[in-house]
């Protein structure tokens, strides 16, 4: 069993930065694949970024602006978001795949989810 708790969301001006955190507990391993998804009102849940040992993956819409990382000692995953745009406004969720040799982009591939944290970007 895995529990995930997101934090770090808030309201920022366009061009600003924010760092999201995802604290994991339970049966978590550094070899697990973890990812960030987001969902805005009226839109589908979309892949943002994912990480596993030796590999990271980013959606084209955030590539060059967002950075995903993981601190294994703290069992915490991060999403550093720079140069935020209004289109980045959404609830951001972290997720875990129990067993995978890759970073899936589909939400149905993930086994556990956090409750989400709201990110608002004003212009």
């Amino acid at each position: 069993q895995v529990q995930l708790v997101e934090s770090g969301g808030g309201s920022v001006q366009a061009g600003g930065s924010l760092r999201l955190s995802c604290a994991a507990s339970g049966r978590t391993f550094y070899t697990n694949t973890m990812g960030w998804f987001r969902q805005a009102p009226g839109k589908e849940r979309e892949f943002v970024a994912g990480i596993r040992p030796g590999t990271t993956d980013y959606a084209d819409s955030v590539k060059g602006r967002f950075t995903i990382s993981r601190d294994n000692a703290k069992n915490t995953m991060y999403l550093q978001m720079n140069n935020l745009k209004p289109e980045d406004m959404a609830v951001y969720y972290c997720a875990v795949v129990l067993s995978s040799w890759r970073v899936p982009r589909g939400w149905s591939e993930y086994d556990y989810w956090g409750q989400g944290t709201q990110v608002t970007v004003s212009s």
Side-chain angles (χ1 to χ4, degrees), residues 15-67:
S17 298
L18 209 59
R19 188 173 80 155
L20 306 183
S21 299
C22 175
S25 62
R27 284 183 54 83
T28 59
F29 303 92
Y30 76 93
T31 54
N32 287 157
T33 296
M34 300 183 71
W36 288 98
F37 288 75
R38 67 187 182 187
Q39 187 165 24
K43 296 184 178 180
E44 297 180 352
R45 189 186 313 176
E46 65 174 347
F47 173 82
V48 177
I51 186 170
R52 61 168 288 103
T55 301
T56 58
D57 189 34
Y58 298 91
D60 290 341
S61 59
V62 306
K63 193 171 297 182
R65 299 188 297 120
F66 291 10
T67 302

Side-chain angles (χ1 to χ4, degrees), residues 1 6 10 12 17 21 27 33 42 48 51 55-56 61 66 68 71 78-79 81-82 89-90 113:
Q1 188 72 271
E6 302 97 336
V12 299
S17 298
S21 299
R27 284 183 54 83
T33 296
V48 177
I51 186 170
T55 301
T56 58
S61 59
F66 291 10
I68 188 171
D71 186 331
Y78 304 95
L79 184 68
M81 305 185 293
N82 297 327
M89 286 190 295
W113 295 83

